[in-house]
Amino acid sequence: QVQLVESGGGLVQAGGSLRLSCTASGRTYSINYVAWFLQAPGKEREFVARISWVGGRTDYTDSVKGRFTISRDNAKNTVYLQMNNLTPEDTAVYYCAVQAGTSPTWDYWGKGTLVTVSS
């Protein structure tokens, strides 16, 4: 089991920045990837970015490339999402998720943190 806790959400004006954190506990040794997803009001949850736990390889959805940066601090079991140049369209609940062990799916999820971007 892996437990995840997100933090760092809040209210920010368009053009501003926020840094989200996702701290993992439990069987962190089994983590392969950590990802961020977002769910905007009335919409499906969608992928934002992911990072490999070993090696730090990153992938992003096109809409955040050049604005968001995912990073990790393995010593702190924490993954960050630095979000710059935010727009109202980025308003959503942001979740972190983990792919662990031999499972190909995102089996562990945090409860989410709300990001609201005002115009």
Side-chain angles (χ1 to χ4, degrees), residues 19-38:
R19 188 178 80 157
L20 306 183
S21 299
C22 171
T23 300
S25 60
R27 296 185 176 181
T28 58
Y29 59 83
S30 67
I31 295 174
N32 297 318
Y33 288 93
V34 180
W36 287 96
F37 290 76
L38 65 83

Side-chain angles (χ1 to χ4, degrees), residues 27-79:
R27 296 185 176 181
T28 58
Y29 59 83
S30 67
I31 295 174
N32 297 318
Y33 288 93
V34 180
W36 287 96
F37 290 76
L38 65 83
Q39 187 164 20
K43 295 188 177 181
E44 298 283 320
R45 191 173 299 186
E46 60 186 72
F47 171 81
V48 176
R50 72 171 183 175
I51 188 165
S52 61
W53 198 243
V54 177
R57 176 181 168 176
T58 59
D59 298 287
Y60 298 90
T61 193
D62 286 346
S63 63
V64 307
K65 286 180 181 177
R67 299 191 301 125
F68 291 10
T69 303
I70 190 170
S71 62
R72 80 203 194 290
D73 184 335
N74 292 70
K76 296 181 179 180
N77 289 330
T78 299
V79 170

Side-chain angles (χ1 to χ4, degrees), residues 67-117:
R67 299 191 301 125
F68 291 10
T69 303
I70 190 170
S71 62
R72 80 203 194 290
D73 184 335
N74 292 70
K76 296 181 179 180
N77 289 330
T78 299
V79 170
Y80 304 99
L81 185 68
Q82 177 66 43
M83 306 187 295
N84 298 329
N85 195 21
L86 286 161
T87 73
E89 289 69 36
D90 296 316
T91 294
V93 177
Y94 285 73
Y95 299 89
C96 66
V98 156
Q99 188 183 64
T102 57
S103 173
T105 56
W106 302 101
D107 289 334
Y108 302 102
W109 292 82
K111 294 183 178 180
T113 185
L114 176 63
V115 172
T116 304
V117 185

